[in-house]
Amino acid sequence: MATRAVVVLVLAALLALAGAEDPYLFFEWKVTYGTKTLLGAPQKVILINGEFPGPRINCSSNNNIVVNVFNQLDQPLLFHWNGMQHRKNSWMDGLPGTNCPIVPGTNFTYKWQPKDQIGTFFYFPSIGMQRAAGGYGAITVVSRLLIPVPFDPPPPESDHVVLIGDWYTKDHEAMARMLDAGKGLGRPEGVVINGVAGPAAPSSPPMFTFEAGRTYRFRVCNTGLKASLNFRIQGHDMRLVEMEGSHTVQDMYDSLDVHVGHCLSVLVDADQKPGDYYLVASTRFIHDARSASAVIRYAGSSTPPSPDVPEPPAGYAWSINQWRSFRWNLTASAARPNPQGSYHYGQINITRTIKLMVSRGHIDGKLKYGFNGVSHRDTETPLKLAEYFNVTEGVFSYNQMGDVPPAVNGPLHVVPNVITAEFRTFIEIIFENPEKSMDSLHLNGYAFFGVGMGPGKWSPELRKTYNLLDAVSRHTIQVYPRSWSAIMLTFDNAGMWNIRSNIWERHYLGEQLYMSIISPARSLRDEYNMPENALRCGKVVGLPLPPSYAPAR
């Protein structure tokens, strides 16, 4: 009887644990302006708790993340969690199309989960050109206990974040005024690594320290505005292990192109002669290349780094071929114990193809960007709130843009650009970039399969070139100049989700749209109700709450 009682107690405890909420992590952020000397001149930057870059959110899959943001700027503020899928919860996406801004002198609490996600991501302020002033930081999501990670033992000695990005010395408000006046931003003045600009001197203190014989993980994100960057570590090869939430086939690289908004993880063995070495990030595909470097020091070293720093590769072909080498690790567990490759996306019938061609034109002498002849503008009432409260009239109209570009390029139309997609349908999206400069496209709320890319215009025959087996599941894809890229995904996450250019000048000037995905069941199984603490603005101020979604069954 005693043994049976113990078994009952153990089972009860396990059931209690199974029903318990996932752990909570609490953050309190005070967002202020500060002054940093970058590229030889002091300039205004956005600080979080006095830090630039901001604090790292380090969590496990399914943790509840609670971030109380105090806006001590003189402008409205929102934070976007780049790459977080916010399952059923676009209420926390933190863009002007989904959220009312946090007005100066007030606070707002974000609550979200990296639901069944692992990997490397980042956050940034999403209003206007604030991203150009900093305010960004890393989000790292590790697997839950007992879920195997596909790294050879022993585990990496340290887990380092490396935030790289181009940098402008102009004030972010001045940059917005330039764009509003129809002027371009021009080329960046430099590159920053973890908030430090320019090449490091041989005598610079180390940013990272190695112990000989150990292995280190570097999580690298391009948090910049415009330039693709090539990342490399002098004298060391890098083993690619993760990309935007997916474990990859672990190939070796001597350098990696990291495009704007992209993140990846590499393992680096400290297997070289003890000394100092440079970690380098260099701009790609723009004239007047810029670089930044930081020192990695083997413990006890007094040997300065060699001045012979390898140059970045040249040309687009090298970069495209590197992209084609990236493969999903089909045998690795992801955020769940099941193998990543158990989802056979290449065997699903496509129900709709959306072809998005970048549009560029001038309206009243001012440059605008868009898709398929429509340039997006934000609204006083966030699109998601207008939809939820059923007050879209006078705010936006659905489907102002077609699934294919106009046959003849006409004038751009500047309207709130919202298109609809049927819930749980499998859709192919083609991005075409007719411009002479790089583009980088991001989709909120989802991971997609980047199945193909190539030069020129896309045609249905090019589907024969798609990778329909092991394309990496991710949230961002680059589109080379005068080229196309293709993605596939199932729209199974109800909400209002942004598709945008990560090239922030293009984004600011209208190269974005929103996808409205509505569950016909209006069930809490598919989407959460608006949170009680949601901010209200525009037409929804003072309105009664709509009826609740039906309970999940």
Side-chain angles (χ1 to χ4, degrees):
M1 291 295 292
T3 302
R4 182 178 297 174
V6 169
V7 170
V8 169
L9 287 172
V10 170
L11 287 173
L14 289 172
L15 288 171
L17 284 172
E21 255 193 303
D22 290 291
Y24 278 72
L25 298 179
F26 294 91
F27 302 86
E28 185 173 288
W29 289 357
K30 290 182 171 59
V31 184
T32 62
Y33 288 121
T35 301
K36 292 284 184 181
T37 299
L38 299 166
L39 301 175
Q43 64 183 114
K44 182 169 70 175
V45 298
I46 294 176
L47 306 175
I48 301 175
N49 297 343
E51 298 179 35
F52 168 67
R56 174 177 175 178
I57 295 177
N58 190 26
C59 60
S60 295
S61 175
N62 289 20
N63 282 172
N64 289 282
I65 311 301
V66 181
V67 186
N68 191 2
V69 175
F70 290 81
N71 180 10
Q72 298 177 358
L73 307 180
D74 57 1
Q75 292 183 323
L77 176 70
L78 283 172
F79 278 103
H80 173 62
W81 320 95
N82 196 65
M84 292 292 100
Q85 294 179 20
H86 300 301
R87 301 296 300 178
K88 308 193 295 184
N89 194 22
S90 65
W91 304 109
M92 292 292 144
D93 204 32
L95 288 175
T98 52
N99 297 98
C100 296
I102 309 168
V103 300
T106 67
N107 70 300
F108 175 73
T109 301
Y110 292 93
K111 179 177 180 277
W112 49 269
Q113 281 184 290
K115 185 70 174 173
D116 291 329
Q117 286 188 262
I118 53 102
T120 306
F121 313 93
F122 67 97
Y123 60 84
F124 63 87
S126 62
I127 292 180
M129 292 300 295
Q130 289 176 350
R131 177 172 169 173
Y136 56 76
I139 305 171
T140 57
V141 189
V142 300
S143 298
R144 287 171 284 179
L145 295 176
L146 305 181
I147 295 180
V149 177
F151 302 163
D152 294 332
E157 179 72 13
S158 298
D159 188 317
H160 297 301
V161 164
V162 186
L163 302 180
I164 57 177
D166 57 16
W167 191 259
Y168 290 79
T169 56
K170 303 176 186 74
D171 181 87
H172 74 92
E173 294 174 81
M175 295 171 80
R177 289 193 295 269
M178 288 174 63
L179 294 173
D180 292 339
K183 300 176 183 177
L185 296 181
R187 299 181 190 123
E189 281 83 19
V191 174
V192 296
I193 300 175
N194 287 352
V196 179
S203 59
S204 297
M207 188 174 285
F208 305 105
T209 301
F210 279 0
E211 293 278 352
R214 304 293 176 86
T215 298
Y216 297 84
R217 182 173 185 169
F218 286 85
R219 299 176 180 264
V220 186
C221 293
N222 185 336
T223 56
L225 302 182
K226 192 169 191 174
S228 298
L229 298 174
N230 183 261
F231 174 79
R232 54 205 184 278
I233 298 176
Q234 186 182 37
H236 293 74
D237 288 330
M238 302 177 291
R239 189 178 354 144
L240 182 67
V241 295
E242 177 259 334
M243 188 174 289
E244 295 170 15
S246 294
H247 294 302
T248 60
V249 172
Q250 296 183 13
D251 290 331
M252 302 297 291
Y253 298 89
D254 56 11
S255 73
L256 286 158
D257 277 354
V258 188
H259 305 280
V260 181
H262 295 219
C263 294
L264 52 83
S265 291
V266 296
L267 297 183
V268 179
D269 294 326
D271 57 1
Q272 298 300 302
K273 181 180 177 181
D276 288 5
Y277 296 85
Y278 285 125
L279 177 153
V280 187
S282 304
T283 57
R284 293 272 275 137
F285 318 128
I286 61 175
H287 296 297
D288 301 324
R290 299 284 187 265
S291 288
S293 57
V295 173
I296 294 175
R297 176 166 296 162
Y298 278 69
S301 165
S302 58
T303 304
S306 167
D308 184 18
V309 179
E311 292 293 321
Y316 295 104
W318 184 94
S319 187
I320 293 174
N321 286 334
Q322 183 175 83
W323 175 83
R324 289 179 176 141
S325 73
F326 300 150
R327 291 289 185 268
W328 209 18
N329 185 340
L330 300 183
T331 62
S333 298
R336 295 179 177 181
N338 54 301
Q340 294 185 144
S342 58
Y343 181 68
H344 299 293
Y345 67 91
Q347 300 175 17
I348 304 174
N349 290 330
I350 298 168
T351 59
R352 178 181 175 190
T353 296
I354 303 173
K355 186 176 178 182
L356 297 177
M357 186 174 75
V358 175
S359 302
R360 177 171 60 94
H362 288 80
I363 297 176
D364 298 328
K366 298 178 181 179
L367 180 63
K368 290 288 183 182
Y369 280 90
F371 291 116
N372 294 1
V374 178
S375 181
H376 174 79
R377 65 169 175 83
D378 289 323
T379 54
E380 182 183 357
T381 305
L383 306 169
K384 177 61 182 173
L385 290 182
E387 182 177 77
Y388 187 71
F389 282 87
N390 196 26
V391 291
T392 58
E393 186 175 351
V395 178
F396 73 92
S397 298
Y398 293 103
N399 300 315
Q400 299 290 293
M401 182 200 77
D403 282 3
V404 295
V408 178
N409 287 333
L412 281 172
H413 300 284
V414 181
V415 295
N417 195 2
V418 183
I419 65 175
T420 58
E422 188 178 347
F423 188 51
R424 291 182 177 156
T425 52
F426 191 68
I427 291 178
E428 172 189 47
I429 301 178
I430 311 299
F431 297 109
E432 271 194 9
N433 177 24
E435 299 294 303
K436 296 188 230 181
S437 57
M438 284 288 298
D439 207 350
S440 171
L441 279 302
H442 174 88
L443 173 57
N444 288 2
Y446 292 91
F448 56 68
F449 299 99
V451 293
M453 64 174 59
K457 294 188 174 184
W458 179 86
S459 63
E461 294 76 25
L462 290 167
R463 291 189 179 117
K464 296 175 184 176
T465 68
Y466 285 2
N467 176 0
L468 297 179
L469 176 64
D470 56 0
V472 178
S473 175
R474 55 189 305 183
H475 55 73
T476 307
I477 193 166
Q478 71 270 26
V479 193
Y480 293 91
R482 295 170 176 166
S483 298
W484 60 271
S485 295
I487 66 173
M488 293 178 173
L489 72 153
T490 299
F491 279 94
D492 60 354
N493 190 13
M496 183 75 72
W497 304 108
N498 190 239
I499 298 178
R500 65 170 179 273
S501 174
N502 284 320
I503 311 304
W504 216 243
E505 179 177 5
R506 291 192 183 195
H507 170 270
Y508 185 91
L509 294 175
E511 192 183 320
Q512 57 171 313
L513 60 86
Y514 283 84
M515 296 283 298
S516 172
I517 317 296
I518 297 175
S519 163
R522 291 189 58 82
S523 168
L524 291 172
R525 176 197 62 199
D526 301 324
E527 186 174 14
Y528 299 136
N529 288 316
M530 185 180 78
E532 292 182 2
N533 72 327
L535 300 174
R536 295 206 200 182
C537 54
K539 293 182 68 172
V540 303
V541 173
L543 292 183
L545 279 173
S548 171
Y549 292 139
R553 294 181 181 178

